[in-house]
Amino acid sequence: MKYLFPIAFACGLMLPSCNSSEPKETPTEPQVVNLYSHRHYDIDQEIFNRFEQETGVKVNVVKASADELLVRLQQEGANSPADVLITSDAGRLVEAASGGYFQPYSSTRIDSLVPNYLRDENKLWTGLTMRARIIVASKDRVPQGKISRYEDLALPEWKGKVLSRPSSSLYNQSLLASFIAGMGDSAALAWTKSVRENMARDPKGNDRDQVMAIQGGEGDVALINTYYLGLLLNSEKPEEQAAGNSVYVIFPNQNDRGSHVNVSGAGILKNAPNKANAEKLLEFLLSEDVQRMYADANYEYPVRMGTQPSALLQSWGTFTMDSLNLSQLGAYNGRAIEIFNEAGWE
Ligand code: FE2
């Protein structure tokens, strides 16, 4: 599937007003929407503040890891105050959906704005932003064209040169889940073992740390999410800018299954006390303005059809995405964790 910069079209004109069909809220009660979120980006609070200003609905946010939030929801059961769960990984959205945590959204607007491969077919969750998990390589030490596939990182010539964060990262778990689905179990296991053997150091840190390590000469290639390179290149810290400038972008597997993509996304919880406000918030997060904020401030790919990525991401060009259904990331998550353990990728 090709990720092309969407051509702007006037879809908003064809759609009913987002407010017209919503049930009336009791006017005397303060309006709130309660979020459980695994996203950890500065722009999110700014977006929630804007929602409060525009709608009068206060946004309460509890931040924790997706796994911690799911445990909390389980413990709270029917008494949970949470209306919306936001995660930064489709695998965990699928897990929440199959665990019965979500109820379907009723908004037809969401389905008309977000392409079907970035949302759940039963309306249990929708993507909010998209990112690719790419390879970055040292401009000084890795000739252009030397690496074109994820599989290349397993070759002996990269011994002592590969950098990655630990396997506890949902981003790595979903990447490996996509390999299990795309190349089969035994090939995915062999890849994981070989890449672990090729690592420049034990897996540690976050995606930005891997780019810093390339600049520092510890390794030559790393697996990272696209927006982290955008954040480095636009950082106020000179050392982060320098790290960003020391690498170039490789969209892997352009001649076969495509580069792995994942979403940050949201679903409305089964016992949501403020369902109408939850729907209002999801529609707001998919509005043109907010999709622009995600794109321009956090360098994420918009999921809304017709919204362009930032100029920086456009400069990296279009790319072929892995067309694997994102539900497979959840389906193979458990096996991905087993493989990481077997390969010693801590
Ligand atoms: Fe992230």
Side-chain angles (χ1 to χ4, degrees), residues 262-283:
N262 200 342
V263 293
S264 269
I268 298 177
L269 292 156
K270 187 172 58 183
N271 301 307
N274 308 287
K275 191 188 178 197
N277 289 341
E279 296 237 352
K280 200 183 282 185
L281 178 68
L282 292 196
E283 290 184 344

Short mmCIF file of all heavy atoms in Angstrom, two decimals, residues 262-283:
data_model
loop_
_atom_site.label_atom_id
_atom_site.label_comp_id
_atom_site.label_asym_id
_atom_site.label_seq_id
_atom_site.Cartn_x
_atom_site.Cartn_y
_atom_site.Cartn_z
N ASN A 262 2.42 2.02 12.26
CA ASN A 262 1.65 1.80 13.47
C ASN A 262 0.88 3.09 13.73
O ASN A 262 1.16 4.12 13.11
CB ASN A 262 2.60 1.45 14.63
CG ASN A 262 1.89 0.74 15.77
OD1 ASN A 262 0.67 0.77 15.91
ND2 ASN A 262 2.69 0.09 16.62
N VAL A 263 -0.08 3.04 14.62
CA VAL A 263 -0.85 4.25 14.93
C VAL A 263 -0.86 4.51 16.44
O VAL A 263 -0.72 3.61 17.24
CB VAL A 263 -2.32 4.16 14.47
CG1 VAL A 263 -2.40 4.12 12.95
CG2 VAL A 263 -3.05 2.98 15.09
N SER A 264 -1.03 5.79 16.78
CA SER A 264 -1.60 6.15 18.06
C SER A 264 -3.10 6.17 17.82
O SER A 264 -3.55 6.67 16.79
CB SER A 264 -1.19 7.57 18.47
OG SER A 264 -0.03 7.57 19.23
N GLY A 265 -3.86 5.64 18.75
CA GLY A 265 -5.29 5.59 18.50
C GLY A 265 -6.10 5.58 19.77
O GLY A 265 -5.55 5.55 20.88
N ALA A 266 -7.42 5.62 19.60
CA ALA A 266 -8.31 5.75 20.75
C ALA A 266 -9.57 4.93 20.57
O ALA A 266 -10.05 4.75 19.45
CB ALA A 266 -8.70 7.22 20.94
N GLY A 267 -10.11 4.46 21.69
CA GLY A 267 -11.41 3.80 21.69
C GLY A 267 -12.23 4.31 22.86
O GLY A 267 -11.68 4.77 23.87
N ILE A 268 -13.56 4.23 22.72
CA ILE A 268 -14.45 4.66 23.80
C ILE A 268 -14.72 3.45 24.70
O ILE A 268 -15.06 2.36 24.21
CB ILE A 268 -15.76 5.23 23.23
CG1 ILE A 268 -15.45 6.46 22.38
CG2 ILE A 268 -16.73 5.58 24.37
CD1 ILE A 268 -16.66 7.07 21.70
N LEU A 269 -14.54 3.65 25.98
CA LEU A 269 -14.62 2.53 26.91
C LEU A 269 -16.06 2.09 27.15
O LEU A 269 -17.00 2.89 27.09
CB LEU A 269 -13.91 2.90 28.21
CG LEU A 269 -12.39 3.03 27.95
CD1 LEU A 269 -11.71 3.93 28.95
CD2 LEU A 269 -11.74 1.65 27.90
N LYS A 270 -16.20 0.80 27.45
CA LYS A 270 -17.52 0.17 27.55
C LYS A 270 -18.41 0.87 28.57
O LYS A 270 -19.59 1.06 28.35
CB LYS A 270 -17.31 -1.30 27.95
CG LYS A 270 -18.56 -2.14 27.93
CD LYS A 270 -18.23 -3.60 28.15
CE LYS A 270 -17.49 -3.83 29.47
NZ LYS A 270 -17.11 -5.24 29.67
N ASN A 271 -17.83 1.29 29.69
CA ASN A 271 -18.63 1.90 30.76
C ASN A 271 -18.49 3.42 30.80
O ASN A 271 -18.71 4.02 31.85
CB ASN A 271 -18.22 1.30 32.11
CG ASN A 271 -18.43 -0.20 32.14
OD1 ASN A 271 -19.51 -0.69 31.84
ND2 ASN A 271 -17.37 -0.94 32.45
N ALA A 272 -18.14 4.02 29.69
CA ALA A 272 -17.89 5.47 29.66
C ALA A 272 -19.07 6.25 30.24
O ALA A 272 -20.18 6.18 29.69
CB ALA A 272 -17.63 5.91 28.23
N PRO A 273 -18.84 7.00 31.31
CA PRO A 273 -19.94 7.80 31.87
C PRO A 273 -20.28 9.02 31.00
O PRO A 273 -21.36 9.57 31.14
CB PRO A 273 -19.40 8.27 33.23
CG PRO A 273 -18.15 7.51 33.48
CD PRO A 273 -17.63 7.07 32.14
N ASN A 274 -19.37 9.42 30.12
CA ASN A 274 -19.58 10.63 29.32
C ASN A 274 -19.39 10.30 27.84
O ASN A 274 -18.52 10.86 27.17
CB ASN A 274 -18.59 11.73 29.75
CG ASN A 274 -18.61 11.97 31.25
OD1 ASN A 274 -19.54 12.54 31.78
ND2 ASN A 274 -17.57 11.49 31.94
N LYS A 275 -20.22 9.40 27.35
CA LYS A 275 -19.98 8.90 25.99
C LYS A 275 -20.10 10.00 24.93
O LYS A 275 -19.32 10.06 23.98
CB LYS A 275 -20.94 7.76 25.65
CG LYS A 275 -20.50 7.10 24.35
CD LYS A 275 -21.45 6.07 23.79
CE LYS A 275 -20.87 5.57 22.46
NZ LYS A 275 -21.82 4.89 21.62
N ALA A 276 -21.08 10.87 25.09
CA ALA A 276 -21.27 11.93 24.08
C ALA A 276 -20.03 12.82 24.02
O ALA A 276 -19.58 13.19 22.93
CB ALA A 276 -22.50 12.76 24.40
N ASN A 277 -19.47 13.14 25.17
CA ASN A 277 -18.26 13.97 25.18
C ASN A 277 -17.07 13.21 24.61
O ASN A 277 -16.19 13.80 23.98
CB ASN A 277 -17.95 14.45 26.60
CG ASN A 277 -18.96 15.47 27.08
OD1 ASN A 277 -19.66 16.09 26.27
ND2 ASN A 277 -19.04 15.66 28.39
N ALA A 278 -17.05 11.90 24.85
CA ALA A 278 -15.96 11.09 24.29
C ALA A 278 -16.01 11.12 22.76
O ALA A 278 -14.98 11.28 22.10
CB ALA A 278 -16.08 9.65 24.80
N GLU A 279 -17.19 10.99 22.20
CA GLU A 279 -17.32 11.04 20.73
C GLU A 279 -16.92 12.41 20.20
O GLU A 279 -16.26 12.53 19.17
CB GLU A 279 -18.77 10.75 20.32
CG GLU A 279 -19.21 9.35 20.67
CD GLU A 279 -19.71 8.56 19.47
OE1 GLU A 279 -19.85 9.14 18.38
OE2 GLU A 279 -19.95 7.36 19.63
N LYS A 280 -17.35 13.44 20.96
CA LYS A 280 -17.01 14.80 20.56
C LYS A 280 -15.49 14.98 20.53
O LYS A 280 -14.93 15.60 19.63
CB LYS A 280 -17.64 15.77 21.58
CG LYS A 280 -17.81 17.18 21.10
CD LYS A 280 -18.38 18.07 22.21
CE LYS A 280 -19.88 17.89 22.37
NZ LYS A 280 -20.44 18.83 23.37
N LEU A 281 -14.83 14.41 21.53
CA LEU A 281 -13.37 14.54 21.60
C LEU A 281 -12.70 13.80 20.44
O LEU A 281 -11.79 14.33 19.80
CB LEU A 281 -12.85 14.01 22.94
CG LEU A 281 -11.32 14.06 23.07
CD1 LEU A 281 -10.82 15.50 23.15
CD2 LEU A 281 -10.84 13.28 24.29
N LEU A 282 -13.15 12.59 20.16
CA LEU A 282 -12.53 11.84 19.05
C LEU A 282 -12.69 12.60 17.73
O LEU A 282 -11.74 12.68 16.94
CB LEU A 282 -13.14 10.44 18.92
CG LEU A 282 -12.86 9.45 20.05
CD1 LEU A 282 -13.19 8.03 19.60
CD2 LEU A 282 -11.42 9.50 20.52
N GLU A 283 -13.87 13.15 17.51
CA GLU A 283 -14.06 13.92 16.27
C GLU A 283 -13.15 15.15 16.25
O GLU A 283 -12.60 15.50 15.21
CB GLU A 283 -15.53 14.33 16.14
CG GLU A 283 -16.43 13.15 15.85
CD GLU A 283 -17.88 13.55 15.63
OE1 GLU A 283 -18.25 14.68 15.98
OE2 GLU A 283 -18.64 12.70 15.10
#
